[in-house]
Structures are given as structure tokens and as C-alpha cells.
Amino acid sequence: YVTGTSKSAPSWRRAVDLLETVGIPDPEDIATSYPHQLSGGQRQRVMIASALGGDPSLIVADEPTTALDVTTQSQVLGQISDLQQALGTAVILVTHDLGVVAETCDDVLVMYCGQVVEQAPVSVLFETPRHRYTEGLIAAIPKIRPQRLARLPVIPGTVPDLAELPAGCRFAARCGFADETCTQSQPTLEAVDSSRVACFHPTGSQASQT
């Protein structure tokens, strides 16, 4: 990645130090390598090193474990966590993998069609999801069950056309608890115990028990 730079230059030393910081062995060799010469995990670590180059107070990691095997995923996530603790850097992790969320995050924002529908500490979210979309996501996680299911849990319907979003709740067409209010008005984030949820009929409400 580092070309045309003298190995005595401060920029070279900085690049090698950053590669060493993210746990890359033989950082001086890696610094002169091309991307195709590196493994997926090494490329992810190089990207993390690049992000650290400006001494940021916040890192946005967008799908950092995509296309990595489970072992390498764990290593990359561990590296991000270690750097966060060592450098005092805040991290926003963007992912579709709820396993990654459960393992890595402190607080969670669940988004649907560009809107935040639920916010909660990670332990609260998985124990008592309040939004129907969050509930569906967690129910669909593959798991070992005492009895064989005829069909795996799914969220019915499809995502609405983002160019023609509905006037009301964007999840209403896929929700078994939606009523007229849901189709006409957009819910706002409201406090429900330790969570905030944008839903007229969150789990645990009277509507969910009838």
C-alpha cells in the first residue's frame, strides 16, 4: 500500500506503526504489498489502520465482517474492541448480523426503511424487543429448538418501495398488529421501560395481549 516513500520518512514509520497496532505480523512487508496479496482479514485490518491514521475520536465501521469466515470475523471484532479500549475511540458499527451486535455492541439502534424504530441497551434488546420488526428479526435467528418446526420463522411481506413510502408506519404492511392509526400516522420514538420505540403497539402493550 505504501509506495514511493523512503523507509526513513516519518510517513513510512507511521504506516508501519499503525499496521503493527492492528495486529498485523511483519508490518514492513505488508506495507509494501498490494491488496490482492493479502487475505480478507489482513485487508480489513489495513482498513482499520487507515481509519486510525487521523487519530479519530469516532470510527464508523460499515459491515466490517462482510465476506469473512467466522474465525476471522471474531479476530477483526476483537481487534476493534481492543483498539476502542486502548485508544478511547467511540465506534459506530453498522451491520445486519445480530450475532455481531450481541457480541460487540453496548447500545443498539434498529432501523427500518431509513428510520430508527427502536433504541435499547444490547442486553435489553435481545431479552425484551419492543418493536415488531425487532421481534421478527430476533425470532428469525437460526437456533437449536426442542421440537422440529414445520417452517422457520420469517417476517411476512416485502420492504416497501423507498421511492413511494407509505404515509404511516413503514412496517405496517408487514405487521400483524397494525390498525388504521398505523397506516395513517408515523409513530415517534417513545420511552418504554429501558428502551425507546417507534410503535403504536409495542410488545408488552395491551394490543399485543388481546
Side-chain angles (χ1 to χ4, degrees), residues 99-113:
V100 169
V101 172
E103 179 183 349
T104 308
C105 300
D106 298 316
D107 296 285
V108 187
L109 293 175
V110 179
M111 300 186 69
Y112 184 78
C113 290

Side-chain angles (χ1 to χ4, degrees), residues 88-201:
T89 303
V91 177
I92 295 177
L93 178 66
V94 182
T95 182
H96 290 84
D97 190 329
L98 290 180
V100 169
V101 172
E103 179 183 349
T104 308
C105 300
D106 298 316
D107 296 285
V108 187
L109 293 175
V110 179
M111 300 186 69
Y112 184 78
C113 290
Q115 288 186 333
V116 175
V117 296
E118 184 166 2
Q119 177 183 4
V122 65
S123 58
V124 173
L125 186 91
F126 283 91
E127 183 68 26
T128 54
R130 293 298 187 181
H131 197 277
R132 302 297 173 174
Y133 176 58
T134 310
E135 184 181 47
L137 289 176
I138 293 175
I141 297 175
K143 63 188 71 174
I144 298 175
R145 305 173 189 273
Q147 293 183 341
R148 183 183 179 90
L149 297 179
R151 182 176 179 179
L152 293 174
V154 297
I155 299 175
T158 59
V159 177
D161 185 346
L162 297 183
E164 298 181 8
L165 291 169
C169 173
R170 297 178 180 183
F171 189 65
R174 307 179 69 184
C175 179
F177 295 86
D179 57 18
E180 186 175 355
T181 300
C182 302
T183 60
Q184 295 180 354
S185 303
Q186 285 193 17
T188 57
L189 284 172
E190 302 289 344
V192 177
D193 296 327
S194 300
S195 306
R196 292 201 304 156
V197 59
C199 182
F200 294 117
H201 306 297

Side-chain angles (χ1 to χ4, degrees), residues 22-65:
V22 297
I24 288 183
D26 301 320
E28 294 198 7
D29 290 338
I30 296 299
T32 59
S33 300
Y34 289 96
H36 72 271
Q37 296 173 309
L38 307 180
S39 68
Q42 287 175 322
R43 288 195 292 268
Q44 294 288 54
R45 287 186 175 88
V46 170
M47 290 301 297
I48 295 170
S50 298
L52 295 174
D55 296 320
S57 58
L58 171 66
I59 295 175
V60 179
D62 189 354
E63 299 285 1
T65 59

